[in-house]
Amino acid sequence: MSIETMNSTTAVPLGLSPVLIALRTCFVTIIAVLIICGNILVVAVTRRVTNLADSTKVLMTSLAVTDLLVGVSAVLSAVASALDRWPFGDVGCHFYAMFKTVAISMSILSVTCLNIERYIAVTRPFKFPLWCTRRRAITLVVVASIACLSCAPLPWIFAISPYYFEGSLLCFYSNTSIYLNLVFLLSCNVLPTLLMSCIYWHLIKISREHEQRLNRNGNNEANNNRDNKALKTFLVVTLTFAGCFFPFALVRVGRSLTGKLIPNWLQFLSSWLGTSNSMFNVWIYCLFNSSFREMAKKVISERFPCFNRSVAPAVA
């Protein structure tokens, strides 16, 4: 029986053992908790860190909020996993699919805007403070959010129904057209990744030339070092995003080519690799930005004083 012919609330359970259902539910719950907690931490730290431009802070916060929404949707999948069925009905499946689509679309736009901002920062360093202001960044985020929300009901208007994929525990719009899936794979993953990789390679070369020029002139290179770190950080964010969603897009193409159902384990791995992308950014920021890492430690120690306790040495 094809998934495309199933009603979202009548998907047949996979017949997993209670142990496997419990392990699956624990995995999905851990992913959801890490996404939610990690992105709340990103929002808190981004507001307080000082070595980032205001526009960068706005865009990082926007990306964290949209990733937080992905974490909220993962909580619903955890409930569906525990019950081994979709408990929220057809209407819930519609709203889940729209919610997920808006969150992913906003993530893509946020990553794109961060890349454009880094391009301006490196290629137009003197105009960057004038072009990329906090107010303009907020305006850009608001306009992008309105655009995504405006497009969200379109599948509903055109009677494109979402389906509950029991293998991946997700409600999503099903599309069996090989042409549309290939366009999705190329336009949303392969071509942007290749293009951004080439652009970043060029930007890194420019940044290194700036650094060498500053070293020869004996100028203060603090700002250039900051730009270098931000450049490398968002390059890793972009490549991680593309790498996490590539298997999901590839599975959709494979299903369209073969006309057969994808194994449930492959559906699960590809879908949750894409979802897990939303928890990786906090680790990337901490790994590549020492100021962000130190501020994260400070925020955690302030919110959870127990982590700050130490055992005093015994006095003889």
Side-chain angles (χ1 to χ4, degrees):
M1 179 168 54
S2 170
I3 282 180
E4 282 75 11
T5 63
M6 283 194 286
N7 185 276
S8 61
T9 59
T10 60
V12 179
L14 300 180
L16 298 178
S17 68
V19 174
L20 288 179
I21 291 176
L23 290 175
R24 182 185 64 182
T25 303
C26 289
F27 174 81
V28 173
T29 302
I30 290 172
I31 294 295
V33 171
L34 288 176
I35 291 174
I36 293 172
C37 294
N39 285 286
I40 290 175
L41 179 62
V42 169
V43 173
V45 173
T46 301
R47 291 177 61 251
R48 299 175 59 176
V49 75
T50 58
N51 68 334
L52 294 173
D54 288 341
S55 57
T56 307
K57 290 183 179 182
V58 171
L59 296 175
M60 286 177 63
T61 301
S62 172
L63 179 58
V65 170
T66 54
D67 284 340
L68 184 61
L69 296 180
V70 174
V72 172
S73 69
V75 173
L76 301 181
S77 293
V79 174
S81 175
L83 298 175
D84 201 24
R85 63 181 177 83
W86 180 255
F88 305 108
D90 286 341
V91 175
C93 195
H94 272 283
F95 278 106
Y96 180 99
M98 287 194 296
F99 186 83
K100 189 89 170 181
T101 302
V102 169
I104 294 175
S105 300
M106 279 301 303
S107 293
I108 294 173
L109 288 175
S110 296
V111 171
T112 302
C113 291
L114 279 167
N115 290 329
I116 294 173
E117 191 225 27
R118 284 300 92 201
Y119 183 84
I120 296 173
V122 174
T123 59
R124 300 290 188 273
F126 298 108
K127 294 183 179 180
F128 174 75
L130 299 176
W131 289 1
C132 299
T133 62
R134 177 183 176 85
R135 178 175 295 182
R136 289 184 177 180
I138 293 175
T139 302
L140 181 62
V141 170
V142 171
V143 171
S145 301
I146 293 174
C148 289
L149 289 172
S150 300
C151 295
L154 289 180
W156 207 338
I157 293 174
F158 290 101
I160 301 176
S161 299
Y163 296 88
Y164 175 60
F165 294 86
E166 65 274 15
S168 56
L169 307 173
L170 301 175
C171 273
F172 211 71
Y173 299 108
S174 180
N175 176 27
T176 58
S177 170
I178 179 61
Y179 302 107
L180 290 179
N181 282 321
L182 280 174
V183 168
F184 174 79
L185 175 65
L186 293 174
S187 62
C188 297
N189 199 290
V190 177
L191 294 179
T193 302
L194 293 175
L195 178 62
M196 293 312 305
S197 297
C198 293
I199 290 175
Y200 268 105
W201 178 259
H202 179 62
L203 292 181
I204 290 174
K205 288 178 63 178
I206 293 175
S207 184
R208 286 177 177 173
E209 291 173 359
H210 288 172
E211 184 176 359
Q212 292 173 358
R213 191 179 303 113
L214 289 171
N215 288 338
R216 287 195 300 267
N217 296 334
N219 293 338
N220 182 9
E221 54 179 324
N223 290 335
N224 192 71
N225 285 336
R226 182 186 67 181
D227 289 339
N228 283 343
K229 291 178 181 179
L231 193 63
K232 293 175 182 178
T233 300
F234 296 126
L235 171 60
V236 176
V237 168
T238 302
L239 294 179
T240 302
F241 185 91
C244 287
F245 279 97
F246 179 74
F248 176 74
L250 197 60
V251 164
R252 291 173 68 90
V253 171
R255 187 183 58 184
S256 301
L257 283 172
T258 62
K260 298 179 181 179
L261 293 179
I262 300 298
N264 289 308
W265 64 267
L266 185 56
Q267 284 187 38
F268 183 84
L269 290 179
S270 61
S271 298
W272 284 94
L273 178 60
T275 301
S276 298
N277 171 78
S278 297
M279 74 176 181
F280 290 146
N281 287 344
V282 62
W283 304 106
I284 295 172
Y285 298 151
C286 289
L287 180 63
F288 286 89
N289 192 313
S290 58
S291 298
F292 189 97
R293 182 168 60 250
E294 294 303 319
M295 184 59 69
K297 292 179 181 178
K298 183 177 180 180
V299 170
I300 292 174
S301 64
E302 289 175 354
R303 296 294 185 272
F304 303 97
C306 58
F307 290 118
N308 233 4
R309 295 174 184 173
S310 60
V311 179
V315 179

